[in-house]
Amino acid sequence: MAGALNAAAGGTFSRLTVEDALTLPCLSGARLVAGTQGRDNLIRVVNIVEVPDIFRWMRGGEFLLTTGYPLREDPDGLSTLVRRLVDRGLAALGVKVGPYLDRLSPETLAVADDLGFPLIELPADVMFNDILSEVLGTVLNRQAVELDRSRAIHEELTAVALSGGSYQEIIDALSELSGCAAAVLDEQGWVVASAGSPDVDTPAAASLGITFGSVGRGRVAVWTDSADLAGHQLMALEHATTVATLVTAQERAVASREQKYRTLLLTELATRRPWDRPEMGRRAAAMGWDLHVPRAAALMEVGGLHAAPPSPEQMVEDQLTPVVRTAAGPNAIIWGVQAGLAMLLEPAGSLGDVCRAVHDAVAVAHPTWEVRVAAGGVREDFADFHLSYHEAVETLTLGRELHGKDFVIGYDELGIYRLLSRLPAADLQHLVDETLGRLLEYDRTHHGSLMHSLSVYLLHNRNGVEASHELHIHYNTLRYRLEQIERLTGGLERHPTSRLQTEIAVHAYRQLAAQARD
């Protein structure tokens, strides 16, 4: 196809400019007497003006011819005409100097020069029909060649797309069709595919963006030693970019289907016991996963994202997966969940070390983000991975309540909360009401914060100095609050059994609060 294209082109192709038209035999005696800055104006059509209201039919790009007959008694008429033609976007004006206009006035020449509008002086003996025929014929011939070239380029690149062509095949075709070095660059400017050894460190002669769903996905660029690209080179670039956009859309559609299947399979594996072990093993093997090694489920959640992208979950997954995979190891199974990632990790000696490595890698990559990592217990049998996943969910939920916005915690670190999680919520609520009911009622009626003060005090192992510092209150203020708490609960500092019950009730209150927020 490329060979046929080159033959059809007949060499370098360009549309007809005013300067090109002056080289035609029909204009051999014509002179460009003013407005030379517009000599590269493109001529779309040729027309003759002999009536004053010609402007209603002007669409731009016309090479207008006149004998000056309508202006023979108006010395300033031609200057006015030039201004109006510029406003309408015409290419040039040819004026026959002869029986009606013996010369072009200095004022008219000055106006044409000032506006950069080509003013061509035509000999008295030139025939307008000859100019119409030859100029218009040249324009039409060049347009026909352009259409042939465009069709050939389109067919060449469409064949690449229909055959399932890659970016490399598109760029190979573009380089051959345009005679330029070419490349596909990703969003960060890295070379995805290239041909003709482009110097990507220098600005491209031209480039067009690959967009998909109004989002930029990179660009197609060409490099050439010429100052400007020829028409067929720009045409090839445009067609190549269109095809590259189609390939991008196809690849993203395939990737989206694969990702949905992958996420569905992992969600099934992580949320319940497989109903068919051999089938689950076969499907996992097809995805390249080894499920016959001990793994633990872990959840990573991020916060502090100040931007609000159209698809925050997809953005988080796209940004985090490469970072997390490097930290967690090549055998980690990772998929996107709301506000973060889920993982099936191989402990590699210490599950805590792997989780900490994941946390730190993300924190370094995104210093302004809050990073929370919670892990369930290690399971030998993949049929039990769902148990580890549920533990990770519970650990993340409690981690938010116990450790705030940024933490790494494993299920085995929950201590008493592991025991409390096995009790019915109704029993926990009964313990809270029985032990802390008066305290909670006091906070509700007095808009107080005694319950929070008690939680912080116990969290700091009854260290009043540390607790008052975290609460941002004076130590004596904390002592006064503790006296109120003792009076309302009767079990903060006195009898050991009452003290233990109060502490357990505080933990149960946190457990219920975390479950209510999840």
Side-chain angles (χ1 to χ4, degrees):
M1 180 64 70
L5 175 61
N6 291 334
T12 302
F13 170 77
S14 62
R15 298 180 183 179
L16 187 69
T17 66
V18 172
E19 189 170 34
D20 293 334
L22 289 172
T23 65
L24 298 176
C26 64
L27 293 172
S28 59
R31 294 188 305 119
L32 180 60
V33 294
T36 56
Q37 306 97 305
R39 59 181 173 271
D40 292 327
N41 289 355
L42 296 178
I43 296 176
R44 183 180 59 84
V45 70
V46 187
N47 210 335
I48 300 173
V49 54
E50 297 298 355
V51 291
D53 60 347
I54 187 68
F55 304 104
R56 72 177 69 179
W57 294 287
M58 296 294 99
R59 297 182 180 179
E62 289 91 345
F63 176 24
L64 204 60
L65 307 175
T66 183
T67 62
Y69 179 81
L71 308 170
R72 65 190 185 283
E73 297 178 357
D74 183 2
D76 299 325
L78 192 56
S79 300
T80 302
L81 177 63
V82 167
R83 291 189 178 92
R84 297 189 66 182
L85 296 181
V86 171
D87 290 340
R88 301 293 292 186
L90 268 71
L93 175 64
V95 182
K96 181 186 288 191
V97 177
Y100 305 115
L101 290 177
D102 57 354
R103 66 183 181 87
L104 299 176
S105 70
E107 181 186 354
T108 299
L109 299 177
V111 169
D113 277 331
D114 184 54
L115 298 176
F117 181 71
L119 194 57
I120 299 171
E121 183 180 289
L122 303 175
D125 58 350
V126 71
M127 300 295 293
F128 280 178
N129 284 341
D130 293 341
I131 298 176
L132 285 170
S133 176
E134 190 168 354
V135 173
L136 186 57
T138 302
V139 169
L140 294 176
N141 287 337
R142 293 197 175 194
Q143 288 178 348
V145 171
E146 183 178 9
L147 289 173
D148 286 343
R149 183 184 289 274
S150 177
R151 183 169 51 252
I153 290 173
H154 176 75
E155 290 174 355
E156 173 88 4
L157 291 168
T158 300
V160 173
L162 293 177
S163 64
S166 63
Y167 288 129
Q168 186 59 57
E169 290 174 293
I170 294 171
I171 288 303
D172 287 341
L174 173 59
S175 180
E176 181 180 359
L177 292 168
S178 66
C180 301
V184 173
L185 309 174
D186 65 13
E187 297 94 318
Q188 287 74 41
W190 295 100
V191 175
V192 176
S194 66
S197 302
D199 183 2
V200 295
D201 293 328
T202 63
S207 66
L208 292 174
I210 301 171
T211 58
F212 180 69
S214 77
V215 178
R217 301 295 180 186
R219 57 194 177 95
V220 179
V222 293
W223 286 259
T224 178
D225 295 332
S226 303
D228 297 306
L229 291 181
H232 74 283
Q233 293 172 322
L234 286 172
M235 193 185 307
L237 175 61
E238 291 171 357
H239 283 297
T241 304
T242 300
V243 175
T245 302
L246 292 175
V247 171
T248 300
Q250 291 169 353
E251 288 184 349
R252 292 192 66 83
V254 171
S256 178
R257 287 195 297 270
E258 289 180 350
Q259 185 178 34
K260 288 179 181 177
Y261 175 77
R262 182 173 175 273
T263 301
L264 182 64
L265 179 58
L266 286 167
T267 302
E268 181 181 342
L269 182 65
T271 55
R272 63 182 177 84
R273 189 177 185 85
W275 62 272
D276 188 334
R277 284 177 57 91
E279 174 65 13
M280 177 61 73
R282 183 190 66 77
R283 293 164 65 191
M287 298 298 295
W289 303 330
D290 183 3
L291 299 184
H292 301 288
V293 294
R295 291 183 185 270
L299 292 170
M300 187 194 65
E301 182 180 74
V302 296
L305 282 70
H306 301 297
S311 178
E313 292 83 3
Q314 186 62 49
M315 182 209 70
V316 169
E317 183 176 358
D318 290 345
Q319 291 190 19
L320 293 187
T321 298
V323 176
V324 171
R325 187 170 300 285
T326 300
N331 296 325
I333 301 174
I334 304 170
W335 70 102
V337 294
Q338 186 175 10
L341 298 177
M343 300 162 279
L344 289 173
L345 304 175
E346 294 184 23
S350 170
L351 177 61
D353 289 345
V354 177
C355 291
R356 173 56 63 182
V358 168
H359 173 280
D360 292 348
V362 175
V364 169
H366 301 281
T368 62
W369 288 8
E370 302 153 0
V371 185
R372 301 178 279 274
V373 180
V378 178
R379 295 295 191 278
E380 301 282 339
D381 188 342
F382 73 81
D384 294 330
F385 286 171
H386 68 289
L387 301 176
S388 180
Y389 186 84
H390 291 315
E391 290 171 354
V393 172
E394 183 179 340
T395 303
L396 180 63
T397 300
L398 279 168
R400 298 192 203 103
E401 180 67 24
L402 299 175
H403 302 289
K405 299 178 179 179
D406 197 287
F407 57 81
V408 178
I409 187 172
Y411 184 71
D412 58 355
E413 300 175 60
L414 293 181
I416 191 173
Y417 292 99
R418 293 169 61 185
L419 174 62
L420 294 176
S421 67
R422 290 175 170 80
L423 297 178
D427 291 347
L428 295 179
Q429 189 64 56
H430 179 73
L431 174 64
V432 170
D433 293 342
E434 180 182 43
T435 309
L436 303 172
R438 292 179 62 202
L439 179 63
L440 293 170
E441 180 61 25
Y442 181 89
D443 276 351
R444 279 193 294 269
T445 57
H446 294 81
H447 304 288
S449 58
L450 294 182
M451 186 66 207
H452 178 61
S453 299
L454 174 58
S455 297
V456 173
Y457 178 64
L458 295 178
L459 183 64
H460 286 279
N461 198 25
R462 299 172 182 270
N463 187 315
V465 175
E466 292 181 1
S468 61
H469 179 73
E470 179 171 330
L471 291 168
H472 304 290
I473 60 175
H474 194 275
Y475 177 73
N476 289 336
T477 303
L478 176 62
R479 288 184 59 187
Y480 173 72
R481 290 184 182 180
L482 293 175
E483 290 173 2
Q484 289 181 291
I485 293 169
E486 176 71 21
R487 188 168 58 253
L488 291 167
T489 64
L492 181 60
E493 301 293 350
R494 286 181 288 183
H495 194 278
T497 302
S498 298
R499 186 167 64 236
L500 177 61
Q501 179 172 330
T502 300
E503 290 197 20
I504 292 176
V506 170
H507 292 311
Y509 177 80
R510 282 183 162 180
Q511 176 94 7
L512 292 170
Q515 292 173 352
R517 290 191 186 97
D518 191 42

